[in-house]
Amino acid sequence: MGKGRTNKPRKHFADKRREKQKKKEWDKNTPHKSYADIIRENSDFELYYKTQKIVPEDKWNMFISTLRTNLPVAFRITGSKAEAKTLLKIIKSDFFKGILNANLDDDKEKSETKSILHSLPFYPEELAWQLQLTRKDIRRSEAYFRLHNFLIAETNNGSISRQEVVSMVPPLVLDVKPWHKVLDMCAAPGSKTAQLIEMIHADEGNVFPEGFVIANDLDNNRCYMLVHQAKRLNSPNILITNHDSSVMPNFIFTKSDGTKDTLKFDRILADVPCSGDGTMRKNPDIWCKWSPVNGNNLHGIQYRIAKRGLELLAIGGRMVYSTCSLNPIENEAVLHRLLCETGDSVQLIDCRNLVPGLICDPGVTHWKPASKNLQFYDNWSDVPEQWQTQVRPKMFPPQADEVSKFHLERCMRILPHHQDTGGFFVAVLEKVASLPWESESGTLNKNEQNLGDNENKDKLGLQEESLQDVKLVKSGKRTLEEEKKLREPQKKRRRDLGYREDPFVFFKDDTEDVWQSIKKFYDISEELNPRCLLVRCHEGKKKNIYFTSPAIRDIVISNENTVKMINTGVKTFVRCDNKNMNCAFRLAQEGMQSIVCYISDKRKLQISKEDLIMLLQNNDPHTPPEIVKFSSDTQQRLKDFAIGSCILLYKEDKTDDPNQLNLQLVGWRGTMSLRAYVPTCDAIHYLRLLGADCSKFEKNKFEENRAAALVASEDVNNSDSKTEDSNEKLVMENDNCVKKVDDTD
């Protein structure tokens, strides 16, 4: 018998189809509980956390009652400083009050708005806001349909990021600077990654920061969620990779003298997979499925990810370890274990000063591991043999006389009742010297490199039998059973290669076939290095051309055979074969900020506010505004302007405001017309910033549904009426027939 085969008979296709149909019928007939039907109680959960004393006794009722309510919506304002400040003014203005108070009386307006919407005190420059409304309130209430439209349009444009309040904290305490090399080890779905990218681009005077972000995730499918998040920010300084972060390979880079070396990161975010019981307000399913064994089973992989992070960290660098779990086994126990092994080379630091106004509790210094049957243990020697695969020796807290040297109180525990959020755990680690198992150069010792996976699993007690029983709800991060499946040895699981990635093919030099025509048409400066441009195919027509930073280019080329890369670069040129064009590529709005400084003024068009508003309000590719409709100044500028892709420039007239609007949009100069070559969500965003009317883009789905229902009802009535007329006609015809028969007789 061939290798890998078994004696188990294969199922016939028809049998498989019948089984699938039965499963569908079972799913159809089995009642599924909605979130509203879930009873938000779990006696084991309450006993466990009361025993761990993560909440003072006098605060317990407040903690548990808050945990049983739905989570309010929160969002951050992103983008350039000028656009962010303008959007902030809009949010604080009567416009936003009108959105929120459309269903309120005038006398209640002021007080209600203040209670519904407020900025987060710990987030810099009032750029993060919380709404005392849930996702369901906003999505299903007609009173808030304009708010829903606002959130969707601005999110699609990349000007706001909808994100949990507690999720905003780890990047803030990581304290990223524009020159830092940053690694996000477990990045999907990507809201924190977006924050890290924004921090890299914080200095707008420096268009091309030296720093970059490598965002990694183990799950190939979830990497594409990450791509979607990152693309909204249009940064050439990000690379997305697909690896098991607990065994993340070393990255190689090229030093200034041309030699190769191992890359060490200045900042690392280890937001590790966890049981997610801090997300119960968002995911009520966890109330039904919570068990103390969930945290026990994840402790090992959390430790391994954090340990690998410290190995990849540069001396003097910082790593944030965070989870959305309340469990000390997943939090302080992991850190205690790391600090024991790293000795004086790593230390916990207190970074509360970076989030002033954030309410949080210190980390706990004592906890009790528990088995599946909720038996608590003070020492490893007390654990019965039957539970020794679940409760491991290194899960226990430090001895009383050693507590002070670990400084676990420097960790931050954010609980739901503190500021009406989810639960979260954040700790900041600083690497002050080489790890004990690293050589002086920072590389791993040979024994550490050869540590086998099976040995690791035995040490950490990750037993498959206990993992198979655990099923958790999705909380943004993966569930425990998904994590287990992804980390199974390759030969033990179904072969799943995921998507086959297109290659990253960089331009070799200035002689690339398409580059000369692009460079000539847009009169691009010699300062733009074409070697930072890439396509995703070796042969055939180049459809999209992407731009990356020099540092990302070097990492991609230096590691293409050892690291699985998913995406990098920002779309800059798009093929647009047009008979009237001298160049086969148009500009892409996504890459505008990256290359606008290299393009000469002959492809740039200054435009007035009124003309720009007209363009955006008539953003229809089939019927763009004719040139004769524009102001005389714009018509004069267009007189000798070559047909094709161009850049539309608008600068605010104000001189007293340091954050003047300075908009740069891709346009298209046609034979007789001019249009803005931007997506609808961008058009809405720019109109909003300009204080123009966006009403034509406002959609009230509730009115549309009512109108559709009315049309359907009229169709039914008309159908009934036609049926009645038809029946009456038929009766009359029958009567006439009878009469004729009678006359004949």
Side-chain angles (χ1 to χ4, degrees):
M1 184 167 285
K3 185 178 179 182
R5 297 198 177 188
T6 65
N7 292 323
K8 188 176 179 180
R10 289 185 177 182
K11 287 185 179 179
H12 191 271
F13 176 76
D15 295 331
K16 289 183 179 179
R17 188 172 57 189
R18 279 193 290 271
E19 283 185 9
K20 195 172 182 180
Q21 186 61 34
K22 281 182 183 178
K23 186 178 185 303
K24 280 185 179 179
E25 290 174 2
W26 185 88
D27 288 342
K28 187 177 178 182
N29 297 325
T30 302
H32 293 279
K33 285 187 176 182
S34 69
Y35 278 0
D37 297 329
I38 292 173
I39 298 173
R40 305 189 187 203
E41 290 182 3
N42 187 313
S43 57
D44 287 353
F45 173 86
E46 294 195 37
L47 174 60
Y48 184 82
Y49 283 119
K50 279 183 176 178
T51 304
Q52 304 299 357
K53 297 181 179 178
I54 65 164
V55 184
E57 287 185 22
D58 60 332
K59 301 291 184 184
W60 177 264
N61 290 338
M62 190 187 302
F63 161 75
I64 204 71
S65 61
T66 306
L67 202 56
R68 287 176 178 142
T69 60
N70 290 328
L71 188 70
V73 167
F75 62 89
R76 293 185 302 105
I77 303 172
T78 65
S80 70
K81 287 182 181 178
E83 292 187 32
K85 291 294 182 184
T86 305
L87 196 57
L88 178 60
K89 287 179 185 176
I90 292 170
I91 288 172
K92 298 168 77 171
S93 70
D94 293 337
F95 165 80
F96 211 79
K97 288 177 183 176
I99 289 179
L100 292 173
N101 296 309
N103 63 326
L104 298 176
D105 298 330
D106 291 339
D107 57 340
K108 291 183 178 180
E109 186 173 321
K110 190 172 180 181
S111 60
E112 289 290 339
T113 302
K114 188 176 180 182
S115 63
I116 290 176
L117 178 71
H118 65 272
S119 63
L120 299 174
F122 66 86
Y123 207 93
E125 301 182 57
E126 293 185 294
L127 293 179
W129 292 74
Q130 188 176 39
L131 286 156
Q132 293 309 122
L133 299 167
T134 66
R135 288 179 297 179
K136 183 179 176 181
D137 293 333
I138 296 171
R139 193 170 57 247
R140 299 188 184 180
S141 173
E142 186 172 3
Y144 299 118
F145 85 91
R146 289 185 67 207
L147 172 61
H148 192 224
N149 289 347
F150 170 85
L151 293 173
I152 289 174
E154 297 298 334
T155 300
N156 290 340
N157 167 260
S159 298
I160 69 169
S161 178
R162 283 182 281 179
Q163 184 177 354
E164 277 194 67
V165 172
V166 288
S167 174
M168 302 175 190
V169 176
L172 290 178
V173 295
L174 195 55
D175 195 26
V176 172
K177 304 298 181 187
W179 56 87
H180 282 156
K181 307 173 190 71
V182 185
L183 172 64
D184 191 349
M185 300 186 77
C186 310
S191 56
K192 299 181 193 68
T193 308
Q195 269 181 278
L196 299 174
I197 298 169
E198 290 165 36
M199 292 172 176
I200 290 291
H201 291 278
D203 181 8
E204 293 182 359
N206 181 10
V207 181
F208 303 107
E210 294 178 24
F212 56 81
V213 176
I214 295 179
N216 176 74
D217 202 82
L218 171 62
D219 190 331
N220 184 268
N221 293 323
R222 289 168 63 85
C223 282
Y224 293 92
M225 296 168 61
L226 197 54
V227 171
H228 175 73
Q229 278 274 26
K231 276 189 174 180
R232 295 189 302 111
L233 298 174
N234 302 325
S235 170
N237 296 59
I238 180 170
L239 170 66
I240 294 169
T241 62
N242 178 203
H243 269 282
D244 180 349
S245 52
S246 66
V247 287
M248 193 83 186
N250 285 323
F251 288 85
I252 304 301
F253 79 107
T254 307
K255 297 197 295 186
S256 56
D257 62 2
T259 59
K260 299 287 185 179
D261 199 358
T262 301
L263 177 64
K264 293 292 184 179
F265 294 91
D266 303 300
R267 297 288 188 268
I268 293 180
L269 176 58
D271 186 50
V272 298
C274 64
S275 61
D277 56 15
T279 70
M280 281 176 158
R281 299 184 70 184
K282 185 175 69 172
N283 302 300
D285 301 43
I286 298 178
W287 284 100
C288 313
K289 301 172 181 179
W290 187 91
S291 167
V293 78
N294 300 348
N296 292 354
N297 285 329
L298 282 164
H299 171 91
I301 191 60
Q302 290 162 343
Y303 158 76
R304 283 160 50 195
I305 291 171
K307 179 182 177 184
R308 183 58 185 147
L310 290 175
E311 292 169 350
L312 294 168
L313 190 64
I315 295 173
R318 288 183 181 181
M319 182 178 85
V320 165
Y321 176 88
S322 62
T323 74
C324 49
S325 169
L326 306 170
N327 197 340
I329 302 300
E330 301 177 66
N331 298 324
E332 287 91 349
V334 173
L335 293 171
H336 173 233
R337 181 173 179 180
L338 279 172
L339 294 169
C340 285
E341 295 192 7
T342 55
D344 296 331
S345 61
V346 174
Q347 60 186 16
L348 272 172
I349 59 174
D350 191 345
C351 287
R352 286 175 176 80
N353 62 305
L354 296 174
V355 279
L358 178 71
I359 304 170
C360 60
D361 287 344
V364 297
T365 57
H366 183 77
W367 57 89
K368 292 186 176 184
S371 53
K372 190 175 182 179
N373 64 350
L374 219 64
Q375 293 297 308
F376 295 90
Y377 306 100
D378 291 313
N379 299 288
W380 166 248
S381 58
D382 298 334
V383 181
E385 187 176 350
Q386 69 179 110
W387 300 122
Q388 288 183 3
T389 57
Q390 286 183 14
V391 180
R392 304 297 297 161
K394 294 183 180 178
M395 292 179 181
F396 288 86
Q399 298 295 323
D401 58 343
E402 294 185 335
V403 166
S404 60
K405 77 175 186 179
F406 295 107
H407 297 292
L408 294 174
E409 72 283 351
R410 292 176 180 171
C411 304
M412 290 182 281
R413 284 187 155 270
I414 307 167
L415 300 177
H417 64 283
H418 286 155
Q419 49 245 315
D420 199 12
T421 65
F424 221 77
F425 177 86
V426 184
V428 185
L429 294 155
E430 185 172 13
K431 185 174 180 179
V432 296
S434 294
L435 303 175
W437 55 90
E438 287 180 324
S439 64
E440 290 184 5
S441 63
T443 57
L444 299 181
N445 294 331
K446 198 168 183 180
N447 291 337
E448 281 293 327
Q449 290 176 331
N450 295 330
L451 192 62
D453 286 341
N454 292 332
E455 184 181 350
N456 273 333
K457 287 188 176 183
D458 287 341
K459 284 186 176 183
L460 301 171
L462 297 177
Q463 300 298 317
E464 290 190 4
E465 292 80 4
S466 58
L467 283 168
Q468 286 171 350
D469 296 334
V470 181
K471 295 180 181 179
L472 301 176
V473 71
K474 289 184 178 179
S475 60
K477 291 292 178 184
R478 286 179 296 277
T479 66
L480 182 55
E481 60 180 0
E482 287 173 333
E483 192 71 27
K484 169 190 173 283
K485 183 178 178 182
L486 286 166
R487 295 182 185 282
E488 279 182 334
Q490 184 66 35
K491 46 186 171 180
K492 287 190 177 181
R493 71 171 190 246
R494 180 177 61 84
R495 185 173 178 79
D496 184 5
L497 298 177
Y499 296 98
R500 178 175 290 179
E501 301 303 327
D502 294 328
F504 297 89
V505 185
F506 284 91
F507 284 14
K508 293 180 181 177
D509 50 39
D510 212 27
T511 61
E512 288 285 337
D513 54 352
V514 298
W515 175 241
Q516 285 303 318
S517 64
I518 294 173
K519 183 180 178 182
K520 182 179 178 181
F521 182 78
Y522 295 104
D523 195 14
I524 295 176
S525 164
E526 294 287 346
E527 292 179 10
L528 175 58
N529 184 357
R531 289 160 60 85
C532 288
L533 298 171
L534 69 102
V535 293
R536 300 299 300 272
C537 60
H538 283 292
E539 299 175 355
K541 275 191 174 183
K542 298 173 174 63
K543 293 182 180 179
N544 298 318
I545 299 175
Y546 302 88
F547 178 78
T548 67
S549 71
I552 290 291
R553 176 190 182 275
D554 175 56
I555 289 171
V556 171
I557 292 174
S558 301
N559 299 275
E560 58 187 348
N561 296 322
T562 55
V563 177
K564 184 178 180 185
M565 301 173 196
I566 301 295
N567 190 271
T568 192
V570 58
K571 189 190 297 181
T572 307
F573 300 102
V574 179
R575 181 172 287 278
C576 182
D577 293 320
N578 190 311
K579 293 179 182 178
N580 297 323
M581 277 193 69
N582 297 323
C583 175
F585 286 84
R586 67 170 176 84
L587 296 165
Q589 183 67 29
E590 297 95 319
M592 175 59 57
Q593 298 301 323
S594 298
I595 64 157
V596 67
C597 59
Y598 297 120
I599 296 176
S600 79
D601 291 343
K602 80 172 191 178
R603 292 313 298 167
K604 295 175 182 176
L605 179 68
Q606 293 287 340
I607 192 166
S608 68
K609 181 177 181 179
E610 292 73 22
D611 285 345
L612 181 56
I613 289 173
M614 182 177 69
L615 269 177
L616 295 170
Q617 288 178 335
N618 298 276
N619 191 37
D620 185 345
H622 304 294
T623 57
E626 294 180 2
I627 291 175
V628 293
K629 293 182 179 179
F630 290 91
S631 66
S632 57
D633 287 344
T634 300
Q635 289 186 49
Q636 186 63 33
R637 292 189 190 103
L638 285 168
K639 194 172 181 181
D640 299 319
F641 206 85
I643 292 171
S645 189
C646 61
I647 300 173
L648 306 175
L649 301 177
Y650 165 73
K651 189 166 186 178
E652 204 170 15
D653 293 333
K654 294 178 183 178
T655 56
D656 56 338
D657 190 347
N659 296 309
Q660 293 180 11
L661 271 181
N662 189 9
L663 304 181
Q664 299 159 340
L665 289 73
V666 170
W668 183 275
R669 203 280 197 212
T671 308
M672 303 293 292
S673 63
L674 178 70
R675 65 164 292 204
Y677 220 114
V678 295
T680 302
C681 60
D682 284 11
I684 297 171
H685 169 70
Y686 292 129
L687 284 169
R688 187 171 281 125
L689 295 183
L690 294 167
D693 181 20
C694 303
S695 57
K696 69 173 287 185
F697 299 104
E698 288 283 3
K699 290 186 178 180
N700 187 339
K701 66 178 181 181
F702 300 94
E703 280 186 2
E704 291 175 356
N705 292 341
R706 282 195 295 270
L710 183 61
V711 170
S713 176
E714 288 175 353
D715 289 343
V716 170
N717 291 336
N718 290 337
S719 176
D720 291 344
S721 177
K722 287 179 182 178
T723 303
E724 288 176 6
D725 292 343
S726 177
N727 289 340
E728 187 175 341
K729 187 178 180 182
L730 186 60
V731 168
M732 290 175 68
E733 288 176 354
N734 287 338
D735 288 345
N736 289 335
C737 289
V738 170
K739 187 176 180 182
K740 285 180 181 179
V741 170
D742 289 343
D743 290 343
T744 305
D745 290 343

